Amino acid sequence: MKPQYLVLAIAYLTAFAAAGSAAAQEQRTPFSQCQAIAENIPKVTFASFSGAAPLTPAVSEGEEVKFTFLGHSTFEIDTPGGIVIATDYNGWYRPATMPDVVTMNKAHPTHYTLTPDPAIKHVLHGWSDVPGEKADVDLVVGDAYIRNVPTDIRFSYGLGGSQENGNSIFIFEIAGLCIGHLGHLHYELTDAHYTEIGRLDVVMVPVDSGLTMGADSMSRVIKRLRSSLILPMHRRGPPVEAFVSMFGKDFDVANAPDDSITVSMRTLPKKPLIYVLKGVQ
């Protein structure tokens, strides 16, 4: 073969291989099983600790997810595959073992830290450091798929005004469960938010009756989400009963004997349950 033809053949084969690789990568893109309308398939970053990442985290029947209330709005989420996640991580409330993933919001310093332990592999901010842009989280870590839905926040400490897309609702898709942490939610959600969120089987909700939203506004959000398991958090001052009183006979209420609960797709309550973990009361 003449040299010039050999160069052309190599160039063609290289381009073909690159195209094939890109197509394969596109096919490996996972999608949210929890979104009500999957108009946009998210492009995620794979960070699995166990070899090649699957299209979506594998789910086995009966797999359980454990939730432990650590304080304020920080929960430890333990996945069946051994991934440890800490929500609204501020460095004060820490899991017993080093978390693999931490999420943060910046409405107040109690919801984030700018100096997390460098051993934490994935530190996910609910805000963007680029003015005018939204935080964009799409990440697979082991058997957990994590994404975010940005929301607006009021400026802290009575400064007035608001910041567009200043915080995020983080959503964790684990073992078939759709899990949402509402963060420091300041405004009632729009139809677009609900569409982007999709189904939530478990939701962690602030119940401070004012620092985020009033009990009536927050209860409207929860009623529309109609999650199977509602875990109150972020209680400041008023008792949880101020929030619970907004719900009627369509919701059950129970106080937990300890600070954790373990659930799976098969053990979710059939009727929406507001479950107050020890330490929140």
Side-chain angles (χ1 to χ4, degrees), residues 8 12 17 22 25 30 33 72 89 94 112 116-117 128 135 143-144 153 179 182 191 199 204 206 255:
L8 286 173
Y12 175 80
Q25 186 66 32
Q33 299 181 2
H72 202 51
Y89 183 80
R94 303 183 183 188
Y112 72 97
D117 192 312
S128 174
D143 57 343
I153 55 169
I179 302 159
L182 297 186
D191 288 344
R199 185 183 95 246
M204 291 156 273
N255 290 322

PDB file of all heavy atoms in Angstrom, residues 8 12 17 22 25 30 33 72 89 94 112 116-117 128 135 143-144 153 179 182 191 199 204 206 255:
ATOM      1  N   LEU A   8      -4.133   7.653   5.123  1.00  0.00           N
ATOM      2  CA  LEU A   8      -5.576   7.855   5.047  1.00  0.00           C
ATOM      3  C   LEU A   8      -6.324   6.728   5.746  1.00  0.00           C
ATOM      4  O   LEU A   8      -7.329   6.960   6.455  1.00  0.00           O
ATOM      5  CB  LEU A   8      -6.017   7.956   3.583  1.00  0.00           C
ATOM      6  CG  LEU A   8      -5.668   9.264   2.860  1.00  0.00           C
ATOM      7  CD1 LEU A   8      -6.012   9.152   1.379  1.00  0.00           C
ATOM      8  CD2 LEU A   8      -6.441  10.428   3.489  1.00  0.00           C
ATOM      9  N   TYR A  12      -8.817   7.099   8.939  1.00  0.00           N
ATOM     10  CA  TYR A  12     -10.192   6.641   8.871  1.00  0.00           C
ATOM     11  C   TYR A  12     -10.523   5.704  10.021  1.00  0.00           C
ATOM     12  O   TYR A  12     -11.550   5.833  10.698  1.00  0.00           O
ATOM     13  CB  TYR A  12     -10.432   5.930   7.540  1.00  0.00           C
ATOM     14  CG  TYR A  12     -11.810   5.316   7.421  1.00  0.00           C
ATOM     15  CD1 TYR A  12     -12.913   6.083   7.096  1.00  0.00           C
ATOM     16  CD2 TYR A  12     -12.003   3.951   7.664  1.00  0.00           C
ATOM     17  CE1 TYR A  12     -14.179   5.521   7.013  1.00  0.00           C
ATOM     18  CE2 TYR A  12     -13.250   3.378   7.576  1.00  0.00           C
ATOM     19  CZ  TYR A  12     -14.340   4.160   7.262  1.00  0.00           C
ATOM     20  OH  TYR A  12     -15.577   3.615   7.185  1.00  0.00           O
ATOM     21  N   ALA A  17     -13.031   4.477  15.179  1.00  0.00           N
ATOM     22  CA  ALA A  17     -12.923   3.985  16.562  1.00  0.00           C
ATOM     23  C   ALA A  17     -13.391   5.026  17.550  1.00  0.00           C
ATOM     24  O   ALA A  17     -14.071   4.724  18.533  1.00  0.00           O
ATOM     25  CB  ALA A  17     -11.467   3.600  16.853  1.00  0.00           C
ATOM     26  N   ALA A  22     -17.450   6.962  21.358  1.00  0.00           N
ATOM     27  CA  ALA A  22     -18.412   7.978  21.795  1.00  0.00           C
ATOM     28  C   ALA A  22     -19.811   7.396  21.840  1.00  0.00           C
ATOM     29  O   ALA A  22     -20.586   7.656  22.761  1.00  0.00           O
ATOM     30  CB  ALA A  22     -18.364   9.175  20.845  1.00  0.00           C
ATOM     31  N   GLN A  25     -20.122   5.212  24.810  1.00  0.00           N
ATOM     32  CA  GLN A  25     -20.234   6.005  26.033  1.00  0.00           C
ATOM     33  C   GLN A  25     -21.639   6.563  26.166  1.00  0.00           C
ATOM     34  O   GLN A  25     -22.207   6.621  27.251  1.00  0.00           O
ATOM     35  CB  GLN A  25     -19.208   7.144  25.983  1.00  0.00           C
ATOM     36  CG  GLN A  25     -19.133   7.957  27.268  1.00  0.00           C
ATOM     37  CD  GLN A  25     -18.604   7.131  28.422  1.00  0.00           C
ATOM     38  OE1 GLN A  25     -17.789   6.252  28.220  1.00  0.00           O
ATOM     39  NE2 GLN A  25     -19.080   7.384  29.613  1.00  0.00           N
ATOM     40  N   PRO A  30     -26.645   6.576  32.154  1.00  0.00           N
ATOM     41  CA  PRO A  30     -27.814   6.144  32.912  1.00  0.00           C
ATOM     42  C   PRO A  30     -28.910   7.200  32.876  1.00  0.00           C
ATOM     43  O   PRO A  30     -28.690   8.322  32.451  1.00  0.00           O
ATOM     44  CB  PRO A  30     -27.260   5.967  34.324  1.00  0.00           C
ATOM     45  CG  PRO A  30     -26.133   6.913  34.383  1.00  0.00           C
ATOM     46  CD  PRO A  30     -25.548   6.966  33.010  1.00  0.00           C
ATOM     47  N   GLN A  33     -34.715   6.920  37.090  1.00  0.00           N
ATOM     48  CA  GLN A  33     -35.922   6.104  37.156  1.00  0.00           C
ATOM     49  C   GLN A  33     -37.018   6.808  37.953  1.00  0.00           C
ATOM     50  O   GLN A  33     -38.136   6.309  38.027  1.00  0.00           O
ATOM     51  CB  GLN A  33     -35.599   4.761  37.796  1.00  0.00           C
ATOM     52  CG  GLN A  33     -34.578   3.952  37.021  1.00  0.00           C
ATOM     53  CD  GLN A  33     -34.273   2.614  37.656  1.00  0.00           C
ATOM     54  OE1 GLN A  33     -34.856   2.245  38.668  1.00  0.00           O
ATOM     55  NE2 GLN A  33     -33.351   1.875  37.071  1.00  0.00           N
ATOM     56  N   HIS A  72     -29.405  18.496  63.010  1.00  0.00           N
ATOM     57  CA  HIS A  72     -29.803  19.629  62.166  1.00  0.00           C
ATOM     58  C   HIS A  72     -30.439  19.112  60.867  1.00  0.00           C
ATOM     59  O   HIS A  72     -31.553  18.617  60.898  1.00  0.00           O
ATOM     60  CB  HIS A  72     -28.615  20.541  61.912  1.00  0.00           C
ATOM     61  CG  HIS A  72     -29.000  21.928  61.530  1.00  0.00           C
ATOM     62  ND1 HIS A  72     -29.888  22.672  62.271  1.00  0.00           N
ATOM     63  CD2 HIS A  72     -28.630  22.722  60.484  1.00  0.00           C
ATOM     64  CE1 HIS A  72     -30.049  23.862  61.700  1.00  0.00           C
ATOM     65  NE2 HIS A  72     -29.290  23.908  60.611  1.00  0.00           N
ATOM     66  N   TYR A  89     -23.794  18.542  54.740  1.00  0.00           N
ATOM     67  CA  TYR A  89     -22.637  18.246  55.591  1.00  0.00           C
ATOM     68  C   TYR A  89     -21.927  19.533  55.999  1.00  0.00           C
ATOM     69  O   TYR A  89     -21.539  20.340  55.143  1.00  0.00           O
ATOM     70  CB  TYR A  89     -21.682  17.341  54.819  1.00  0.00           C
ATOM     71  CG  TYR A  89     -20.472  16.893  55.578  1.00  0.00           C
ATOM     72  CD1 TYR A  89     -20.538  15.843  56.481  1.00  0.00           C
ATOM     73  CD2 TYR A  89     -19.229  17.516  55.377  1.00  0.00           C
ATOM     74  CE1 TYR A  89     -19.409  15.414  57.175  1.00  0.00           C
ATOM     75  CE2 TYR A  89     -18.098  17.090  56.061  1.00  0.00           C
ATOM     76  CZ  TYR A  89     -18.199  16.045  56.959  1.00  0.00           C
ATOM     77  OH  TYR A  89     -17.081  15.620  57.636  1.00  0.00           O
ATOM     78  N   ARG A  94     -20.992  14.133  61.876  1.00  0.00           N
ATOM     79  CA  ARG A  94     -20.253  13.241  60.989  1.00  0.00           C
ATOM     80  C   ARG A  94     -20.682  11.792  61.187  1.00  0.00           C
ATOM     81  O   ARG A  94     -20.928  11.372  62.316  1.00  0.00           O
ATOM     82  CB  ARG A  94     -18.754  13.335  61.265  1.00  0.00           C
ATOM     83  CG  ARG A  94     -18.171  14.720  61.150  1.00  0.00           C
ATOM     84  CD  ARG A  94     -16.677  14.692  61.369  1.00  0.00           C
ATOM     85  NE  ARG A  94     -16.090  16.016  61.328  1.00  0.00           N
ATOM     86  CZ  ARG A  94     -14.787  16.256  61.333  1.00  0.00           C
ATOM     87  NH1 ARG A  94     -13.940  15.236  61.381  1.00  0.00           N
ATOM     88  NH2 ARG A  94     -14.334  17.494  61.303  1.00  0.00           N
ATOM     89  N   TYR A 112     -22.991  23.671  55.331  1.00  0.00           N
ATOM     90  CA  TYR A 112     -21.853  23.401  54.450  1.00  0.00           C
ATOM     91  C   TYR A 112     -20.551  23.699  55.181  1.00  0.00           C
ATOM     92  O   TYR A 112     -20.533  24.312  56.259  1.00  0.00           O
ATOM     93  CB  TYR A 112     -21.924  24.250  53.176  1.00  0.00           C
ATOM     94  CG  TYR A 112     -21.635  25.720  53.383  1.00  0.00           C
ATOM     95  CD1 TYR A 112     -20.373  26.243  53.135  1.00  0.00           C
ATOM     96  CD2 TYR A 112     -22.627  26.591  53.827  1.00  0.00           C
ATOM     97  CE1 TYR A 112     -20.089  27.587  53.324  1.00  0.00           C
ATOM     98  CE2 TYR A 112     -22.368  27.941  54.025  1.00  0.00           C
ATOM     99  CZ  TYR A 112     -21.095  28.435  53.766  1.00  0.00           C
ATOM    100  OH  TYR A 112     -20.828  29.777  53.959  1.00  0.00           O
ATOM    101  N   PRO A 116     -13.815  20.647  53.977  1.00  0.00           N
ATOM    102  CA  PRO A 116     -14.126  19.248  54.308  1.00  0.00           C
ATOM    103  C   PRO A 116     -12.855  18.416  54.369  1.00  0.00           C
ATOM    104  O   PRO A 116     -11.817  18.796  53.807  1.00  0.00           O
ATOM    105  CB  PRO A 116     -15.021  18.808  53.143  1.00  0.00           C
ATOM    106  CG  PRO A 116     -14.573  19.661  51.994  1.00  0.00           C
ATOM    107  CD  PRO A 116     -14.218  20.996  52.602  1.00  0.00           C
ATOM    108  N   ASP A 117     -12.959  17.291  55.040  1.00  0.00           N
ATOM    109  CA  ASP A 117     -11.826  16.373  55.116  1.00  0.00           C
ATOM    110  C   ASP A 117     -11.425  15.963  53.694  1.00  0.00           C
ATOM    111  O   ASP A 117     -12.262  15.530  52.901  1.00  0.00           O
ATOM    112  CB  ASP A 117     -12.224  15.130  55.928  1.00  0.00           C
ATOM    113  CG  ASP A 117     -11.040  14.264  56.298  1.00  0.00           C
ATOM    114  OD1 ASP A 117     -10.217  13.967  55.407  1.00  0.00           O
ATOM    115  OD2 ASP A 117     -10.937  13.866  57.471  1.00  0.00           O
ATOM    116  N   SER A 128     -23.680  26.902  42.407  1.00  0.00           N
ATOM    117  CA  SER A 128     -22.579  27.057  41.455  1.00  0.00           C
ATOM    118  C   SER A 128     -21.749  28.267  41.862  1.00  0.00           C
ATOM    119  O   SER A 128     -22.288  29.294  42.269  1.00  0.00           O
ATOM    120  CB  SER A 128     -23.112  27.257  40.034  1.00  0.00           C
ATOM    121  OG  SER A 128     -22.047  27.553  39.140  1.00  0.00           O
ATOM    122  N   ALA A 135     -25.996  24.779  39.730  1.00  0.00           N
ATOM    123  CA  ALA A 135     -25.242  23.571  40.066  1.00  0.00           C
ATOM    124  C   ALA A 135     -25.809  22.417  39.250  1.00  0.00           C
ATOM    125  O   ALA A 135     -27.022  22.315  39.068  1.00  0.00           O
ATOM    126  CB  ALA A 135     -25.367  23.280  41.553  1.00  0.00           C
ATOM    127  N   ASP A 143     -23.530   1.983  44.131  1.00  0.00           N
ATOM    128  CA  ASP A 143     -24.921   1.651  43.810  1.00  0.00           C
ATOM    129  C   ASP A 143     -25.855   2.843  44.020  1.00  0.00           C
ATOM    130  O   ASP A 143     -27.069   2.669  44.144  1.00  0.00           O
ATOM    131  CB  ASP A 143     -25.400   0.459  44.652  1.00  0.00           C
ATOM    132  CG  ASP A 143     -25.279   0.700  46.147  1.00  0.00           C
ATOM    133  OD1 ASP A 143     -24.535   1.624  46.551  1.00  0.00           O
ATOM    134  OD2 ASP A 143     -25.910  -0.031  46.925  1.00  0.00           O
ATOM    135  N   ALA A 144     -25.321   4.054  44.036  1.00  0.00           N
ATOM    136  CA  ALA A 144     -26.133   5.257  44.211  1.00  0.00           C
ATOM    137  C   ALA A 144     -26.001   6.172  43.002  1.00  0.00           C
ATOM    138  O   ALA A 144     -24.897   6.421  42.508  1.00  0.00           O
ATOM    139  CB  ALA A 144     -25.713   6.003  45.471  1.00  0.00           C
ATOM    140  N   ILE A 153     -33.058  30.821  46.878  1.00  0.00           N
ATOM    141  CA  ILE A 153     -33.017  31.034  48.327  1.00  0.00           C
ATOM    142  C   ILE A 153     -33.041  32.529  48.635  1.00  0.00           C
ATOM    143  O   ILE A 153     -32.648  33.356  47.816  1.00  0.00           O
ATOM    144  CB  ILE A 153     -31.773  30.412  48.985  1.00  0.00           C
ATOM    145  CG1 ILE A 153     -30.477  30.916  48.321  1.00  0.00           C
ATOM    146  CG2 ILE A 153     -31.834  28.902  48.963  1.00  0.00           C
ATOM    147  CD1 ILE A 153     -29.215  30.557  49.086  1.00  0.00           C
ATOM    148  N   ILE A 179     -35.142   8.987  46.661  1.00  0.00           N
ATOM    149  CA  ILE A 179     -34.934   9.627  47.961  1.00  0.00           C
ATOM    150  C   ILE A 179     -34.590  11.094  47.746  1.00  0.00           C
ATOM    151  O   ILE A 179     -33.681  11.416  46.974  1.00  0.00           O
ATOM    152  CB  ILE A 179     -33.791   8.929  48.726  1.00  0.00           C
ATOM    153  CG1 ILE A 179     -34.102   7.442  48.919  1.00  0.00           C
ATOM    154  CG2 ILE A 179     -33.514   9.612  50.056  1.00  0.00           C
ATOM    155  CD1 ILE A 179     -32.869   6.594  49.200  1.00  0.00           C
ATOM    156  N   LEU A 182     -34.740  17.924  50.892  1.00  0.00           N
ATOM    157  CA  LEU A 182     -35.211  19.235  50.441  1.00  0.00           C
ATOM    158  C   LEU A 182     -34.255  20.368  50.796  1.00  0.00           C
ATOM    159  O   LEU A 182     -34.453  21.506  50.352  1.00  0.00           O
ATOM    160  CB  LEU A 182     -36.595  19.527  51.017  1.00  0.00           C
ATOM    161  CG  LEU A 182     -37.725  18.581  50.575  1.00  0.00           C
ATOM    162  CD1 LEU A 182     -39.066  19.070  51.086  1.00  0.00           C
ATOM    163  CD2 LEU A 182     -37.758  18.411  49.059  1.00  0.00           C
ATOM    164  N   ASP A 191     -44.388  23.844  39.164  1.00  0.00           N
ATOM    165  CA  ASP A 191     -44.683  22.631  38.391  1.00  0.00           C
ATOM    166  C   ASP A 191     -43.421  22.088  37.730  1.00  0.00           C
ATOM    167  O   ASP A 191     -43.226  20.867  37.641  1.00  0.00           O
ATOM    168  CB  ASP A 191     -45.742  22.927  37.319  1.00  0.00           C
ATOM    169  CG  ASP A 191     -47.131  23.134  37.909  1.00  0.00           C
ATOM    170  OD1 ASP A 191     -47.340  22.756  39.083  1.00  0.00           O
ATOM    171  OD2 ASP A 191     -47.992  23.684  37.210  1.00  0.00           O
ATOM    172  N   ARG A 199     -40.785  11.178  41.098  1.00  0.00           N
ATOM    173  CA  ARG A 199     -41.301  10.451  42.275  1.00  0.00           C
ATOM    174  C   ARG A 199     -40.280  10.470  43.402  1.00  0.00           C
ATOM    175  O   ARG A 199     -39.086  10.304  43.172  1.00  0.00           O
ATOM    176  CB  ARG A 199     -41.574   9.001  41.874  1.00  0.00           C
ATOM    177  CG  ARG A 199     -42.218   8.167  42.980  1.00  0.00           C
ATOM    178  CD  ARG A 199     -42.392   6.718  42.551  1.00  0.00           C
ATOM    179  NE  ARG A 199     -41.280   5.882  42.996  1.00  0.00           N
ATOM    180  CZ  ARG A 199     -40.410   5.278  42.201  1.00  0.00           C
ATOM    181  NH1 ARG A 199     -40.511   5.419  40.896  1.00  0.00           N
ATOM    182  NH2 ARG A 199     -39.437   4.536  42.687  1.00  0.00           N
ATOM    183  N   MET A 204     -36.711  13.931  53.060  1.00  0.00           N
ATOM    184  CA  MET A 204     -36.244  14.583  54.283  1.00  0.00           C
ATOM    185  C   MET A 204     -36.640  16.049  54.203  1.00  0.00           C
ATOM    186  O   MET A 204     -36.255  16.741  53.251  1.00  0.00           O
ATOM    187  CB  MET A 204     -34.729  14.403  54.420  1.00  0.00           C
ATOM    188  CG  MET A 204     -34.320  12.961  54.714  1.00  0.00           C
ATOM    189  SD  MET A 204     -32.617  12.540  54.226  1.00  0.00           S
ATOM    190  CE  MET A 204     -32.871  12.046  52.507  1.00  0.00           C
ATOM    191  N   PRO A 206     -37.396  19.986  56.060  1.00  0.00           N
ATOM    192  CA  PRO A 206     -37.190  20.898  57.184  1.00  0.00           C
ATOM    193  C   PRO A 206     -38.530  21.302  57.810  1.00  0.00           C
ATOM    194  O   PRO A 206     -39.496  21.573  57.109  1.00  0.00           O
ATOM    195  CB  PRO A 206     -36.499  22.106  56.537  1.00  0.00           C
ATOM    196  CG  PRO A 206     -36.888  22.058  55.099  1.00  0.00           C
ATOM    197  CD  PRO A 206     -37.084  20.608  54.761  1.00  0.00           C
ATOM    198  N   ASN A 255     -43.492   8.485  66.283  1.00  0.00           N
ATOM    199  CA  ASN A 255     -42.199   8.876  66.844  1.00  0.00           C
ATOM    200  C   ASN A 255     -41.314   7.638  66.941  1.00  0.00           C
ATOM    201  O   ASN A 255     -41.733   6.611  67.489  1.00  0.00           O
ATOM    202  CB  ASN A 255     -42.367   9.506  68.217  1.00  0.00           C
ATOM    203  CG  ASN A 255     -43.023  10.874  68.142  1.00  0.00           C
ATOM    204  OD1 ASN A 255     -42.751  11.653  67.219  1.00  0.00           O
ATOM    205  ND2 ASN A 255     -43.883  11.174  69.087  1.00  0.00           N
TER     206      ASN A 255
END
